[in-house]
Amino acid sequence: MEVLNSYYPVLYRCPVVKLGGYAAHHKLNGEVLAYLDFGGATGSAKDGLAEGMLALAAQRGDLKKGQPVVEASGGTFAAALCIAARRSGHPVYLVVSPTLPGERQKLLQR
């Protein structure tokens, strides 16, 4: 069985691509690798950030099972956090600007 130093690489697997052409074009020594972080529910890198944040808080004992998560955001991180928190059994309370468009509010409530 593989022993990992961190759980972050397995939150969800995304490909790592060697950018050999880019490195050669710019005459760079060594390798340039790109982690294609688009495999989460919202399709943004914020999915892994939200999942990792909750997992780390739970691992450290700062986030107890079923404890609410409060976030002051209405953007893509809020959407990623809502999905990650619901998957891990935490209710989410978002504090958003009253000027947040109605469609965005409905999306976040779903």
Side-chain angles (χ1 to χ4, degrees), residues 12 37-49 76-77 80:
Y12 58 89
D37 193 358
F38 56 78
T42 68
S44 79
K46 294 175 182 173
D47 294 319
L49 178 63
T76 54
F77 182 72

Side-chain angles (χ1 to χ4, degrees), residues 11-99:
L11 288 174
Y12 58 89
R13 298 215 181 259
C14 293
V16 176
V17 179
K18 187 184 300 185
L19 303 178
Y22 180 86
H25 176 76
H26 294 283
K27 297 177 177 48
L28 301 173
N29 293 328
E31 295 180 334
V32 176
L33 304 175
Y35 177 70
L36 304 180
D37 193 358
F38 56 78
T42 68
S44 79
K46 294 175 182 173
D47 294 319
L49 178 63
E51 291 175 15
M53 183 179 80
L54 294 176
L56 181 60
Q59 181 184 48
R60 291 179 8 186
D62 295 332
L63 183 62
K64 309 290 187 239
K65 186 173 181 131
Q67 185 177 0
V69 174
V70 180
E71 170 65 22
S73 170
T76 54
F77 182 72
L81 186 61
C82 285
I83 293 167
R86 294 287 290 193
R87 285 182 178 167
S88 59
H90 298 280
V92 177
Y93 295 94
L94 297 177
V95 179
V96 299
S97 167
T99 61

